[in-house]
């Protein structure tokens, strides 16, 4: 059995991963608030935890891993978007949820086993809130219900490594007269007639942000599970609050054993922001012609616990490497044989070492000869860079291009023979230019002519030559 080691934010060290139940390895990852397109930074945790999901399925078996990633579909940002656009909230969240799934699918992300929406678990949230009140960890005030941080002061702050006093000093704390402590956070809040709301013991209202993940994780994974993940921007207050309310509602469990947090994303060395003009969504990049596999490759080239710098140069380099992989597989590989292979041990070991995706990509780069083509295909699929159907299309397109170019090699050879005798190379030069416009590599030497499709090959531009 492969030994997986992961850096546990809670303990601040890399530890051997030992699941609570090897037959049911459980992971929860905080998902998006669905009010708009996912920006590039939103995609990083999706790719990071997709890689971990693939590794866990490989090690423990696909039937023995449960991955949950939620959708926050009740939130003030969604309410604001509905007011701005005069659209129904349900229409906005349905549309943006599908946008998210479509965009992440193009990055090679598998869909989790469960993708709960917050609005589907309101009853479970209310039940958890009632339990917290009964146990003395929450209180109702002016239509709100708040978690009493003082009731669990010994545990609050351990994930982020800060004391309650430090968190009060460094946080944007909402000042409200009904709070007993400035750090107390909202579990339930009242809704006006124009906002989404549900009946509750405290009046018509809606849940706070943090309670949804606790309630859904409990319902789908139990009071204790293996891994909880998300971006490090969620460590405080979101994850800290999840731990507090979950541990207090279900003291028989310990919530998540291992906490994984990915670092943030930058663009060309700067924090992504609209004010700097370097803010873009995954959809923006896809529409600009950057393939999803290129975005994924760039993400995998940096360790998840380091800041990831997106640059145009990295994207160009990634696309060239991926094209080279497809070229090798098309020339020497057999995808039926490739499907039967196991992922490379060196790649499994790299990922088992705290998701060292950079080392995994280095392993791919070493598979650079004819004998490695099938292994390369298998491991490209395992890392999620291409699905089998995508590889089949890419390989087929390359081979079709080579078939077309073989006929043009003969035509160019004939023109060259004539030019050598007449000393008029104008037709040869014209054909070479047309080939290069179509992104065809032209190699001419004494032994003959070789034409190969290059990145961006466009067969339509060859039609005048055929």
């Amino acid at each position: 059995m492969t030994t997986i080691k992961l850096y546990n934010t809670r303990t601040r060290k890399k530890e051997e991963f030992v699941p609570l139940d090897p037959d049911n390895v459980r992971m929860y990852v905080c998902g998006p608030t669905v009010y708009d397109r996912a920006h590039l930074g939103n995609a990083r945790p999706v790719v990071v935890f997709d890689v971990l999901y693939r590794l866990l399925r490989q090690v423990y078996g696909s039937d023995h891993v449960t991955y949950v990633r939620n959708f926050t579909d009740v939130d003030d940002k969604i309410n604001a978007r509905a007011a701005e656009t005069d659209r129904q909230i349900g229409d906005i969240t349905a549309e943006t949820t599908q946008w998210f799934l479509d965009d992440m699918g193009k990055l090679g992300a598998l869909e989790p086993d469960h993708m709960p929406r917050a609005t589907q678990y309101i009853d479970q949230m209310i039940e958890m809130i009632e339990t917290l009140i009964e146990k003395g960890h929450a209180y109702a005030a002016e239509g709100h219900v708040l978690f009493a941080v003082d009731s669990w002061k010994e545990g609050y702050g351990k994930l982020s490594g800060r004391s309650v006093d430090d968190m009060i000093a460094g946080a944007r704390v909402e000042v409200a007269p009904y709070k007993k402590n400035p750090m107390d956070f909202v579990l339930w809040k009242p809704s006006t007639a124009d906002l989404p709301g549900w009946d509750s013991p405290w009046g018509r209202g809606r849940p706070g942000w943090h309670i949804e993940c606790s309630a859904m994780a409990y319902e789908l994974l139990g009071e204790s599970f293996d891994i909880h993940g998300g971006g490090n921007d969620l460590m405080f207050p979101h994850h800290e609050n999840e731990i507090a309310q979950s541990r207090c509602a279900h003291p028989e469990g310990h919530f998540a054993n291992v906490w994984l947090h990915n670092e943030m994303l930058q663009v060309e060395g700067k924090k992504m922001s609209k004010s700097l003009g370097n803010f873009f969504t995954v959809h923006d990049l896809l529409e600009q012609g950057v393939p999803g596999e290129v975005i994924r490759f760039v993400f995998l080239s940096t360790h998840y616990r380091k800041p990831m710098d997106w640059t145009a140069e990295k994207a160009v380099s990634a696309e060239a490497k991926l094209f080279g992989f497809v070229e090798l597989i098309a020339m020497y590989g057999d995808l039926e044989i490739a499907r039967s292979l196991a992922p490379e041990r060196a790649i499994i070991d790299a990922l088992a070492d705290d998701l060292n995706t950079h080392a995994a990509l280095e392993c791919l780069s070493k598979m650079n000869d004819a004998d490695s083509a099938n292994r390369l295909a298998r491991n490209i699929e395992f890392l999620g860079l291409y699905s089998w159907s995508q590889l089949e299309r890419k390989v087929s397109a390359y081979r079709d291009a080579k078939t077309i170019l073989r006929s043009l090699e003969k035509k160019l050879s004939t023109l060259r023979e004539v030019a050598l005798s007449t000393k008029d190379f104008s037709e040869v030069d014209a054909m070479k230019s047309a080939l290069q416009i179509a992104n065809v590599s032209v190699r001419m030497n004494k032994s003959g002519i070789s034409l190969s499709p290059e990145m961006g090959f466009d067969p339509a531009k060859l039609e005048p030559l055929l």
Side-chain angles (χ1 to χ4, degrees):
M1 176 71 74
T2 299
T3 298
I4 298 174
K5 292 186 176 181
L6 300 171
Y7 184 86
N8 189 348
T9 307
R10 182 174 58 84
T11 61
R12 302 294 192 275
K13 61 184 180 180
K14 190 158 66 173
E15 302 171 336
E16 181 178 338
F17 173 66
V18 180
L20 296 169
D21 177 1
D23 290 329
N24 185 18
V25 182
R26 288 158 285 170
M27 176 169 70
Y28 187 97
V29 175
C30 292
T33 300
V34 282
Y35 68 99
D36 206 343
R37 290 278 186 184
H39 62 69
L40 198 58
N42 298 143
R44 193 179 191 196
V46 174
V47 173
V48 167
F49 291 102
D50 179 70
V51 172
L52 179 55
Y53 183 43
R54 290 169 181 268
L55 174 65
L56 294 172
R57 285 162 58 96
Q58 177 65 31
V59 173
Y60 295 99
S62 57
D63 295 334
H64 301 294
V65 179
T66 303
Y67 174 20
V68 179
R69 187 185 66 220
N70 71 298
F71 285 107
T72 297
D73 61 346
V74 52
D75 185 86
D76 289 343
K77 290 179 181 177
I78 301 171
N79 300 338
R81 182 55 52 89
E84 291 168 7
T85 60
D86 197 27
R87 296 182 63 196
Q88 293 295 313
I89 285 172
D91 293 341
I92 292 172
T93 58
E95 179 181 60
T96 51
T97 295
Q98 194 57 53
W99 283 350
F100 181 87
L101 293 174
D102 290 345
D103 289 346
M104 297 309 110
K106 288 171 183 172
L107 303 191
L110 302 172
E111 291 194 355
D113 300 287
H114 300 281
M115 295 185 288
R117 300 195 306 272
T119 52
Q120 297 172 323
Y121 287 79
I122 300 295
D123 289 344
Q124 290 86 343
M125 294 180 211
I126 291 173
E127 183 179 349
M128 181 174 277
I129 294 169
E130 289 179 314
T131 298
L132 288 168
I133 293 174
E134 290 168 8
K135 292 178 181 289
H137 295 294
Y139 58 94
E142 299 183 23
H144 295 75
V145 181
L146 296 108
F147 182 87
V149 169
D150 284 338
S151 73
W152 201 59
K153 202 165 184 177
E154 72 279 5
Y156 197 73
K158 286 188 176 179
L159 180 68
S160 54
R162 292 183 283 182
S163 70
V164 172
D165 291 339
D166 288 342
M167 287 186 279
I168 291 174
R172 297 178 185 175
V173 176
E174 180 189 356
V175 177
Y178 48 77
K179 284 188 175 186
K180 294 179 180 179
N181 180 317
M183 287 300 295
D184 292 350
F185 56 88
V186 173
L187 301 173
W188 189 264
K189 54 189 172 183
S191 289
T192 55
D194 60 323
L195 293 175
W198 291 263
D199 291 333
S200 80
W202 318 286
R204 183 178 181 276
R206 60 195 191 278
W209 174 32
H210 314 297
I211 192 67
E212 66 175 84
C213 288
S214 287
M216 290 187 284
Y218 176 71
E219 288 297 317
L220 294 169
L221 300 177
E223 69 274 4
S224 301
F225 55 93
D226 296 295
I227 298 169
H228 195 311
N232 66 0
D233 58 324
L234 298 179
M235 194 184 308
F236 178 80
H238 185 52
H239 290 164
E240 203 74 75
N241 292 352
E242 276 189 70
I243 293 171
Q245 62 203 9
S246 296
R247 292 289 303 276
C248 290
H250 302 288
E252 70 279 9
H254 51 253
F255 200 44
N257 254 9
V258 179
W259 285 85
L260 267 67
H261 291 93
N262 63 275
E263 256 288 0
M264 296 296 96
L265 178 137
Q266 300 174 333
V267 175
E268 303 288 350
K270 297 179 181 178
K271 182 179 178 180
M272 186 169 68
S273 72
K274 291 180 180 177
S275 62
L276 293 175
N278 65 351
F279 179 95
F280 42 81
T281 67
V282 173
H283 184 70
D284 290 336
L285 281 181
L286 295 170
E287 287 291 293
Q288 292 166 17
V290 180
E293 61 269 22
V294 168
I295 298 172
R296 187 180 181 97
F297 192 101
V298 174
F299 279 4
L300 297 187
S301 66
T302 300
H303 192 272
Y304 78 95
R305 286 195 291 111
K306 294 182 179 179
M308 211 292 294
D309 191 20
W310 174 271
T311 68
E313 183 181 359
K314 286 181 180 178
V316 171
S317 174
E319 189 166 11
K321 287 178 181 177
L322 286 162
F323 181 82
F325 291 161
V326 170
E327 184 176 43
L328 184 71
I329 294 165
M331 292 174 64
Y332 305 110
D334 183 328
L335 293 184
E336 286 303 310
I337 293 174
R339 282 175 181 267
S340 68
L341 302 177
E344 202 76 5
R345 169 49 57 183
I347 288 179
I348 296 291
D349 288 346
L351 298 184
D353 183 16
D354 196 30
L355 299 185
N356 191 342
T357 51
H358 176 77
L361 293 183
E362 289 294 304
C363 292
L364 286 185
S365 296
K366 293 175 183 177
M367 300 176 197
N368 53 14
D369 58 25
D371 293 337
S372 302
N374 291 332
R375 292 163 49 225
L376 178 61
R378 177 64 185 92
N379 289 283
I380 280 176
E381 189 277 336
F382 174 62
L383 290 172
L385 293 165
Y386 291 115
S387 66
W388 287 118
S389 59
Q390 286 174 317
L391 265 179
E392 286 167 359
R393 289 195 296 272
K394 292 279 184 181
V395 165
S396 178
Y398 186 92
R399 289 173 177 169
D400 288 347
K402 286 293 286 185
T403 299
I404 294 170
L405 294 178
R406 275 193 285 271
S407 66
L408 293 177
E409 285 174 353
K410 294 176 182 178
K411 183 175 181 179
L412 185 57
S413 292
T414 300
L415 290 176
R416 186 188 184 205
E417 288 175 9
V418 172
L420 287 170
S421 60
T422 63
K423 306 303 181 185
D424 179 3
F425 287 86
S426 57
E427 289 192 54
V428 172
D429 292 339
M431 186 170 178
K432 283 174 61 180
S433 294
L435 289 165
Q436 289 164 352
I437 289 171
N439 286 313
V440 175
S441 167
V442 181
R443 295 184 180 87
M444 302 177 67
N445 53 43
K446 293 180 179 179
S447 60
I449 293 173
S450 174
L451 304 180
S452 296
E454 291 188 321
M455 198 166 61
F457 170 69
D458 186 355
K461 293 180 179 177
L462 295 179
E463 290 178 6
L465 301 178
L466 298 174

